[in-house]
Amino acid sequence: ACSGRRSAGGTSLGGNGNQVANFSATETGGGSVTLTNTGALQVSSIATGSEPPSPGGSSLTMQDVTISTTGDLTVASAGIKTQNIGAPPPADPVVPATPNASSSVSLTSGAGAITLNGDIAAGSSGTVTLSSKTGITQPGGKVTGGNLLLLGDGGANLNQAANNVGTVAANVHGELVYRDANSFTVGTVAGTSGVATSNDNVTLTSGSTLTLDQGIAAGGATVTLTANRINQDTATVAGI
């Protein structure tokens, strides 16, 4: 089954009986999008509209996106974008792309994997949370936002060069790989501090400066840090 929603005030589908295979949503009124689902799910697209604002209003943005399913969760190439996608020339009127700084995106797979084929775009102070039972992979797209939180019983491999967040925290039971185009900090996100794995390798790559405000705990595994500059205050790194 396929579910598509267009809303001017938010979409909340939190019932326990939802079971769709494909989901898309367009938000035109600054609301949030929430779906609780059973089984495997592909998110085909979640975005704002590109309509011009109402008289005296502002360009359209979205609040939070919260998607949870029991099976595998796949984000298609169109991705999840909380900012107004805008309407560039030759549109009349032209609508600039407009971010919502506080928008957050949360994706949860209760018994499966998360696969990111498209962009996940939260606000500049918002948080992207990815929680998976069996692992998180990123064949395509980029993750952007203020913070990134990775959770789950599997590992996480987000190795796309265009990823760009400010702070990263993780508690996963598998290997962790994260690559960022710019500077980022290993810090605290939503109560999770630092990076921890279950004796699995940690590989962090920064396109600029990597700052360790919180620790990295990899047990007896290998921690690999690559950056133009690495700053460490009191945080500890446990690994080989």
Side-chain angles (χ1 to χ4, degrees), residues 10-12 23 25-27 31-35 46 62-67:
T11 297
S12 181
F23 179 77
T26 301
E27 173 56 40
S32 295
V33 175
T34 300
L35 172 66
I46 298 177
M62 191 184 304
Q63 294 299 317
D64 298 333
V65 175
T66 305
I67 305 294

mmCIF file of all heavy atoms in Angstrom, residues 10-12 23 25-27 31-35 46 62-67:
data_model
loop_
_atom_site.group_PDB
_atom_site.id
_atom_site.type_symbol
_atom_site.label_atom_id
_atom_site.label_comp_id
_atom_site.label_asym_id
_atom_site.label_seq_id
_atom_site.Cartn_x
_atom_site.Cartn_y
_atom_site.Cartn_z
ATOM 1 N N GLY A 10 0.081 20.164 9.430
ATOM 2 C CA GLY A 10 0.710 19.015 10.070
ATOM 3 C C GLY A 10 -0.007 17.724 9.758
ATOM 4 O O GLY A 10 -1.208 17.696 9.481
ATOM 5 N N THR A 11 0.740 16.627 9.808
ATOM 6 C CA THR A 11 0.200 15.284 9.595
ATOM 7 C C THR A 11 0.621 14.421 10.765
ATOM 8 O O THR A 11 1.814 14.270 11.032
ATOM 9 C CB THR A 11 0.737 14.665 8.289
ATOM 10 O OG1 THR A 11 0.299 15.447 7.177
ATOM 11 C CG2 THR A 11 0.247 13.239 8.119
ATOM 12 N N SER A 12 -0.351 13.860 11.486
ATOM 13 C CA SER A 12 -0.057 13.000 12.631
ATOM 14 C C SER A 12 -0.775 11.675 12.455
ATOM 15 O O SER A 12 -2.002 11.592 12.586
ATOM 16 C CB SER A 12 -0.490 13.671 13.944
ATOM 17 O OG SER A 12 -0.179 12.839 15.053
ATOM 18 N N PHE A 23 5.535 5.937 1.779
ATOM 19 C CA PHE A 23 4.933 7.101 2.412
ATOM 20 C C PHE A 23 5.574 8.365 1.865
ATOM 21 O O PHE A 23 6.802 8.441 1.725
ATOM 22 C CB PHE A 23 5.133 7.057 3.931
ATOM 23 C CG PHE A 23 4.565 8.248 4.658
ATOM 24 C CD1 PHE A 23 3.210 8.361 4.876
ATOM 25 C CD2 PHE A 23 5.402 9.250 5.133
ATOM 26 C CE1 PHE A 23 2.679 9.456 5.540
ATOM 27 C CE2 PHE A 23 4.897 10.344 5.799
ATOM 28 C CZ PHE A 23 3.528 10.453 6.012
ATOM 29 N N ALA A 25 4.895 12.882 2.007
ATOM 30 C CA ALA A 25 4.116 13.955 2.618
ATOM 31 C C ALA A 25 4.639 15.296 2.138
ATOM 32 O O ALA A 25 5.840 15.490 1.962
ATOM 33 C CB ALA A 25 4.189 13.881 4.145
ATOM 34 N N THR A 26 3.712 16.218 1.922
ATOM 35 C CA THR A 26 4.035 17.604 1.606
ATOM 36 C C THR A 26 3.350 18.485 2.635
ATOM 37 O O THR A 26 2.134 18.415 2.801
ATOM 38 C CB THR A 26 3.548 17.978 0.189
ATOM 39 O OG1 THR A 26 4.159 17.111 -0.761
ATOM 40 C CG2 THR A 26 3.923 19.420 -0.135
ATOM 41 N N GLU A 27 4.116 19.295 3.332
ATOM 42 C CA GLU A 27 3.584 20.177 4.371
ATOM 43 C C GLU A 27 3.641 21.616 3.876
ATOM 44 O O GLU A 27 4.703 22.119 3.521
ATOM 45 C CB GLU A 27 4.391 20.021 5.667
ATOM 46 C CG GLU A 27 4.039 21.003 6.753
ATOM 47 C CD GLU A 27 2.563 20.970 7.103
ATOM 48 O OE1 GLU A 27 1.966 19.862 7.158
ATOM 49 O OE2 GLU A 27 1.999 22.058 7.327
ATOM 50 N N GLY A 31 3.570 22.812 9.788
ATOM 51 C CA GLY A 31 3.316 21.797 10.797
ATOM 52 C C GLY A 31 4.377 20.712 10.813
ATOM 53 O O GLY A 31 5.394 20.786 10.128
ATOM 54 N N SER A 32 4.136 19.682 11.622
ATOM 55 C CA SER A 32 5.028 18.533 11.730
ATOM 56 C C SER A 32 4.436 17.342 10.998
ATOM 57 O O SER A 32 3.235 17.288 10.717
ATOM 58 C CB SER A 32 5.260 18.170 13.202
ATOM 59 O OG SER A 32 5.943 19.199 13.886
ATOM 60 N N VAL A 33 5.280 16.356 10.700
ATOM 61 C CA VAL A 33 4.854 15.113 10.049
ATOM 62 C C VAL A 33 5.261 13.953 10.937
ATOM 63 O O VAL A 33 6.444 13.801 11.270
ATOM 64 C CB VAL A 33 5.482 14.959 8.653
ATOM 65 C CG1 VAL A 33 5.133 13.605 8.049
ATOM 66 C CG2 VAL A 33 5.034 16.088 7.732
ATOM 67 N N THR A 34 4.270 13.124 11.330
ATOM 68 C CA THR A 34 4.518 11.981 12.218
ATOM 69 C C THR A 34 3.838 10.748 11.650
ATOM 70 O O THR A 34 2.674 10.798 11.240
ATOM 71 C CB THR A 34 3.966 12.248 13.629
ATOM 72 O OG1 THR A 34 4.604 13.406 14.176
ATOM 73 C CG2 THR A 34 4.217 11.064 14.542
ATOM 74 N N LEU A 35 4.568 9.638 11.613
ATOM 75 C CA LEU A 35 4.000 8.360 11.190
ATOM 76 C C LEU A 35 4.547 7.248 12.072
ATOM 77 O O LEU A 35 5.762 7.114 12.233
ATOM 78 C CB LEU A 35 4.346 8.055 9.728
ATOM 79 C CG LEU A 35 3.967 6.639 9.234
ATOM 80 C CD1 LEU A 35 2.460 6.442 9.213
ATOM 81 C CD2 LEU A 35 4.569 6.356 7.858
ATOM 82 N N ILE A 46 9.517 13.570 1.827
ATOM 83 C CA ILE A 46 8.856 14.475 2.768
ATOM 84 C C ILE A 46 9.463 15.843 2.541
ATOM 85 O O ILE A 46 10.677 16.028 2.633
ATOM 86 C CB ILE A 46 9.025 14.036 4.228
ATOM 87 C CG1 ILE A 46 8.384 12.663 4.457
ATOM 88 C CG2 ILE A 46 8.409 15.064 5.174
ATOM 89 C CD1 ILE A 46 8.568 12.129 5.866
ATOM 90 N N MET A 62 8.748 23.612 7.622
ATOM 91 C CA MET A 62 8.175 22.478 8.327
ATOM 92 C C MET A 62 8.758 22.428 9.736
ATOM 93 O O MET A 62 9.882 22.884 9.968
ATOM 94 C CB MET A 62 8.514 21.190 7.576
ATOM 95 C CG MET A 62 7.759 19.951 8.047
ATOM 96 S SD MET A 62 8.330 18.461 7.177
ATOM 97 C CE MET A 62 8.078 18.935 5.465
ATOM 98 N N GLN A 63 8.008 21.882 10.666
ATOM 99 C CA GLN A 63 8.536 21.648 11.997
ATOM 100 C C GLN A 63 9.251 20.287 12.008
ATOM 101 O O GLN A 63 10.104 20.049 11.185
ATOM 102 C CB GLN A 63 7.411 21.724 13.028
ATOM 103 C CG GLN A 63 6.810 23.110 13.163
ATOM 104 C CD GLN A 63 7.821 24.157 13.618
ATOM 105 O OE1 GLN A 63 8.616 23.902 14.521
ATOM 106 N NE2 GLN A 63 7.809 25.307 12.972
ATOM 107 N N ASP A 64 8.896 19.386 12.899
ATOM 108 C CA ASP A 64 9.633 18.140 13.057
ATOM 109 C C ASP A 64 9.069 17.025 12.178
ATOM 110 O O ASP A 64 7.879 17.004 11.839
ATOM 111 C CB ASP A 64 9.597 17.689 14.514
ATOM 112 C CG ASP A 64 10.257 18.696 15.437
ATOM 113 O OD1 ASP A 64 11.146 19.422 14.970
ATOM 114 O OD2 ASP A 64 9.871 18.758 16.616
ATOM 115 N N VAL A 65 9.936 16.066 11.840
ATOM 116 C CA VAL A 65 9.546 14.848 11.136
ATOM 117 C C VAL A 65 9.906 13.666 12.026
ATOM 118 O O VAL A 65 11.070 13.528 12.432
ATOM 119 C CB VAL A 65 10.258 14.717 9.777
ATOM 120 C CG1 VAL A 65 9.931 13.377 9.130
ATOM 121 C CG2 VAL A 65 9.874 15.869 8.857
ATOM 122 N N THR A 66 8.910 12.826 12.340
ATOM 123 C CA THR A 66 9.127 11.662 13.204
ATOM 124 C C THR A 66 8.524 10.440 12.527
ATOM 125 O O THR A 66 7.304 10.343 12.374
ATOM 126 C CB THR A 66 8.479 11.862 14.585
ATOM 127 O OG1 THR A 66 8.973 13.068 15.175
ATOM 128 C CG2 THR A 66 8.789 10.695 15.505
ATOM 129 N N ILE A 67 9.383 9.520 12.105
ATOM 130 C CA ILE A 67 8.937 8.313 11.410
ATOM 131 C C ILE A 67 9.444 7.094 12.178
ATOM 132 O O ILE A 67 10.642 6.988 12.460
ATOM 133 C CB ILE A 67 9.474 8.251 9.966
ATOM 134 C CG1 ILE A 67 9.109 9.514 9.190
ATOM 135 C CG2 ILE A 67 8.956 6.999 9.270
ATOM 136 C CD1 ILE A 67 7.639 9.696 8.942
#
